């Protein structure tokens, strides 16, 4: 849900509900994000967000609120090229995540999007000595294709990672239809 607050400012709210089978740790979890966006014409935008406002608990571990900021530029003043640079800071552990992204409209209704980012991870597990915690980082890169023709659209993205256990490769894929 979003609302315009004049010509240059808008605010939004997102609700996330998780279904995770009958016994999953995320089952029934609800969380909310708040956002604010400011635009300077067609060339520049700044967005700020507060994620996981209620700081829910997953498997006995609280999810920290995160403060997010991104600067986006459209050098041509159109959606032909959009560049973004952003970051977010965790409230409890001061985890810093950073990312960069680019989107290029290659033809009417066809956009190629790419992003790369590094995020902090806080890993909680159980070893032979009991509960263990450690901090780590992973690096992710995504590439996607978006097809948008009026009220109909399709998008597919693949994400590769180099992560915590030195595992590299395709981490996930996303398909969106509207």
């Amino acid at each position: 849900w979003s609302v315009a607050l004049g010509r240059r400012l808008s605010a939004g709210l997102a609700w996330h509900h998780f279904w995770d089978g009958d016994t999953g740790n995320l089952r029934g979890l609800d969380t909310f994000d708040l956002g604010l966006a400011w635009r300077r014409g067609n060339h520049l935008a700044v967005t700020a967000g507060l994620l996981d406002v209620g700081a829910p608990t997953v498997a006995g571990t609280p999810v920290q609120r995160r403060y997010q900021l991104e600067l986006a530029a459209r050098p041509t003043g159109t959606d032909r090229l959009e560049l973004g640079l952003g970051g977010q800071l965790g409230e409890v552990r001061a985890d810093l995540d950073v990312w960069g992204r680019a989107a290029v409209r290659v033809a009417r209704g066809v956009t190629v999007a790419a992003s790369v980012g590094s995020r902090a991870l806080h890993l909680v597990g159980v070893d032979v000595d009991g509960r263990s915690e450690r901090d780590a980082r992973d690096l992710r890169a995504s590439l996607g294709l978006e097809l948008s023709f009026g009220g109909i659209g399709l998008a597919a993205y693949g994400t590769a990672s180099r992560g915590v256990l030195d595992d590299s490769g395709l981490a996930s894929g996303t398909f969106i239809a509207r």
Side-chain angles (χ1 to χ4, degrees):
W1 172 83
S2 65
V3 63
L5 304 172
R7 288 178 23 128
R8 294 185 179 181
L9 191 65
S10 59
L13 169 72
W15 166 52
H16 308 277
H17 177 79
F18 294 88
W19 290 269
D20 192 13
D22 292 332
T23 59
N25 290 328
L26 296 175
R27 183 171 185 247
L29 178 70
D30 291 294
T31 185
F32 297 89
D33 301 336
L34 300 173
L36 194 61
W38 175 81
R39 290 172 194 80
R40 173 91 170 124
N42 292 328
H43 288 86
L44 184 66
V46 178
T47 60
L50 174 59
L51 288 78
D52 294 315
V53 173
T57 300
V58 175
T61 302
V63 175
Q64 66 178 338
R65 277 183 287 273
R66 291 162 290 148
Y67 302 90
Q68 196 172 78
L69 187 65
E70 183 178 271
L71 174 66
R74 290 182 168 175
T76 64
T78 70
D79 65 349
R80 186 168 301 279
L81 174 63
E82 182 171 299
L83 305 170
L85 183 63
Q88 72 180 10
L89 185 65
E91 183 177 87
V92 176
R93 293 181 301 275
D95 299 338
L96 179 62
D97 302 342
V98 294
W99 63 86
R101 62 179 183 81
V104 177
R105 182 172 45 90
V106 294
R108 184 177 173 161
V110 181
T111 301
V112 175
S115 66
V116 62
S118 174
R119 68 183 177 159
L121 302 174
H122 183 72
L123 305 172
V124 178
V126 177
D127 60 19
V128 293
D129 297 326
R131 183 179 166 114
S132 67
E133 297 184 35
R134 70 182 175 108
D135 293 322
R137 292 203 76 76
D138 81 349
L139 179 65
R140 292 181 178 254
S142 295
L143 183 62
L145 178 66
E146 302 170 6
L147 305 174
S148 181
F149 302 102
I152 298 171
L154 299 172
Y157 304 91
T159 300
S161 71
R162 174 134 179 101
V164 179
L165 304 173
D166 287 332
D167 291 340
S168 297
L170 186 63
S172 65
T174 302
F175 180 75
I176 300 169
R178 66 170 172 79

